Amino acid sequence: MASHRRPKQPSRTRVTVLTATAAAAVALTSQAAHADPKPTKSEVKAKVDKLYHEAEVATEKANGAEEQQDKLKKQVDAIQDKVARGQEELNALRGELGSLATAQYRSGGLDPSVQLLLSSDPDDFLDQASALDQLTAKQAESLQKIQAKQRALAQQRQEAQSKLDDLADVRKTLSENKKKYQAKLADARELLNTLTVAERNKIAQEEQRASRDAGDRVELGNEVPASALGAAALSAAATQLGKPYVSGGTGPNSFDCSGLTQWAYAQAGVQLTRTTYTQINDGPRVGRSALKPGDLVFFNNTSHVGLYAGNNQILHAPKPGAVVRYESMDYMGTFQFGVRP
């Protein structure tokens, strides 16, 4: 006789485990389907370039703070030297007043009427009295000098303290911008490390090829410089091709963007200011169509500067990890204007 027992039902615990496992598998499959794809080489490069641009903004602000710091330090030193000399003069005036007081005491220790009675020679007494009056007048003059010197010293000390406070603020700004720069660089390196060695090498090769092509186009342009100064500055900058970009670099071993332009024009006998934000005022401005070789060219809200090399190409110190090179203006971001020192 056949058995009619009902099949054993799975336990509630087993059903729960199986259901949870199935749900987890579905969730993982769904997450995998919706996971962000790995960024492409070009996307990584774009993000890295953006970080380099932000680092350069911080670099130029740090350069400005450093320049301001140097000026303030010189001013503070000059004021403190003036205060030290003033203190010496004040001490000398006080010594002079002390000598006058001693002389007055010796000659005027007695009441004048008593001195007249005791004096065997009235004329001699009158001479002494006249000398005492002159001594008192000289004392008054010395006191006035001392008071004036004290007021001047107080003002100079106040000025020195104000400059020292400014110096502390500038040093704080400098430190903050250096930290920003270093943080942006760290982020850029981390992004670059998501690429393979082959991908990173390919980016470098593409940039080198683009720079060679830009240099060739400069040679083909044969544009006439705006001035002998511009020609000399551009020629000097060309001798630095291949030198590394380093934040704060002013040559001759390394450069940042404004450090290169400042150095190049210094070789031509022209002293430019230190940062992009001040170099924009180092000459009259010119539009893109009027650019001549040797002109300064500014990009991206004036946070980057290079030298116009002709035929739509520039010579500049581009970014961390790169070297001084030629580059097409078409790859430089937003053009602002040119400046002709």
Side-chain angles (χ1 to χ4, degrees), residues 80-97:
Q80 288 178 334
D81 284 346
K82 194 185 291 185
V83 167
R85 288 195 302 272
Q87 188 63 55
E88 287 176 2
E89 291 170 8
L90 180 60
N91 292 341
L93 286 170
R94 283 173 173 162
E96 182 183 329
L97 184 63

Side-chain angles (χ1 to χ4, degrees), residues 13-41:
T13 303
R14 186 165 175 242
V15 170
T16 304
V17 170
L18 288 170
T19 304
T21 303
V26 170
L28 286 171
T29 304
S30 176
Q31 286 175 5
H34 293 89
D36 291 334
K38 180 183 175 182
T40 64
K41 176 170 67 74

Side-chain angles (χ1 to χ4, degrees), residues 3 31 40 56 60 68 73 116 119 139 152 171 179 198 227 238 279 314 325 337:
S3 173
Q31 286 175 5
T40 64
E56 189 167 49
E60 287 303 308
Q68 192 178 359
K73 193 170 184 317
L116 180 59
S119 176
Q139 272 184 298
R171 282 177 173 157
K179 285 177 184 174
S227 68
Q279 287 181 9
I314 69 167
R325 68 191 187 198
F337 45 75

